[in-house]
């Protein structure tokens, strides 16, 4: 079966750095996405990785290792507005997205 | 404002009733999707459409039907609602011309079936 695993909840301090991990087992791989979802709102696109390595976009970076079936999202200089759920999703061989349950990130002052 | 709209925003529905959730996008995206999101679970695909006139079944299609008469609209129908269909429903779309095929989501419909 297909499976995406990520921690249920994480807590971090304002101004700090946090790394949210995601491991996956899917039938095929056509890219990995990270989305941000604030409570009561729709998911919004953050990043996309299809090749191994680090993609940096401002305070957010995303890393991929296809051989390990592993990705992480790195958030730097945390702000209170970063409190949200972060969803990892993998596009499988049928070009359908398989979603993790999400990691709820709590930022404390 | 460009994007995806969904209606209604929320709904309380008696079990056994028929309900159609509406979704409209103005981005001229080829592909559209319906997901449900339940606490503790990832987004689960109900139905999808790669282009107007075609539809396909996702992971959890039972009890739901869709149609895609044109590019912009992708309604989801619950023929006879049951309490297990209580969920938040998100419509999404993507452009097949985008190599990433990033999906863009509507604001969601919160449905409670009693």
């Amino acid at each position: 079966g297909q499976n995406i695993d990520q921690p249920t909840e994480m807590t971090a301090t304002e101004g700090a750095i946090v790394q949210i991990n995601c491991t996956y087992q899917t039938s095929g791989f056509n890219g990995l996405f990270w989305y941000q979802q604030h409570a009561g709102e729709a998911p919004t696109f953050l990043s996309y990785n299809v090749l191994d390595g680090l993609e940096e976009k401002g305070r957010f970076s995303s890393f991929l290792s296809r051989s390990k079936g592993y990705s992480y999202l790195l958030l730097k200089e945390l702000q209170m507005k970063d409190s949200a759920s972060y969803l990892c999703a993998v596009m499988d061989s049928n070009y359908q997205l398989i979603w993790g349950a999400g990691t709820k990130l709590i930022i404390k002052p | 404002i460009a994007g995806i709209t969904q209606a209604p925003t929320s709904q309380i529905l008696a079990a056994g009733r028929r309900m159609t959730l509406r979704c409209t996008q103005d981005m001229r995206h080829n592909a559209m999707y319906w997901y449900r999101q339940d606490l503790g679970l990832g987004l689960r695909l109900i139905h999808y459409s790669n282009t107007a006139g075609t539809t396909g079944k996702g992971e959890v299609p039972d009890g739901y039907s869709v149609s895609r008469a044109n590019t912009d609209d992708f309604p989801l129908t619950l023929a006879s609602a049951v309490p297990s269909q209580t969920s938040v429903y998100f419509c999404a779309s993507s452009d097949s011309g985008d190599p990433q095929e990033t999906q863009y989501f509507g604001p969601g419909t919160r449905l409670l079936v009693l």
Side-chain angles (χ1 to χ4, degrees), chain B residues 56-70:
Chain B
K57 294 181 179 181
E59 179 186 356
V60 289
D62 293 343
Y64 306 94
S65 64
V66 292
S67 62
R68 186 88 184 277
N70 57 60

Side-chain angles (χ1 to χ4, degrees), chain A residues 33-85:
Chain A
F33 295 79
W34 284 96
Y35 278 75
Q36 181 189 59
Q37 185 177 25
H38 285 100
E41 297 183 8
T44 55
F45 171 76
L46 280 180
S47 69
Y48 171 77
N49 295 69
V50 68
L51 299 175
D52 289 352
L54 188 68
E55 294 280 343
E56 297 186 77
K57 190 184 294 185
R59 294 189 299 113
F60 293 5
S61 303
S62 56
F63 172 83
L64 174 67
S65 169
R66 288 173 297 172
S67 62
K68 295 181 179 179
Y70 168 71
S71 173
Y72 67 73
L73 181 69
L74 191 71
L75 292 73
K76 302 177 184 176
E77 301 170 13
L78 285 169
Q79 302 175 11
M80 296 304 293
K81 67 178 182 179
D82 298 329
S83 292
S85 288

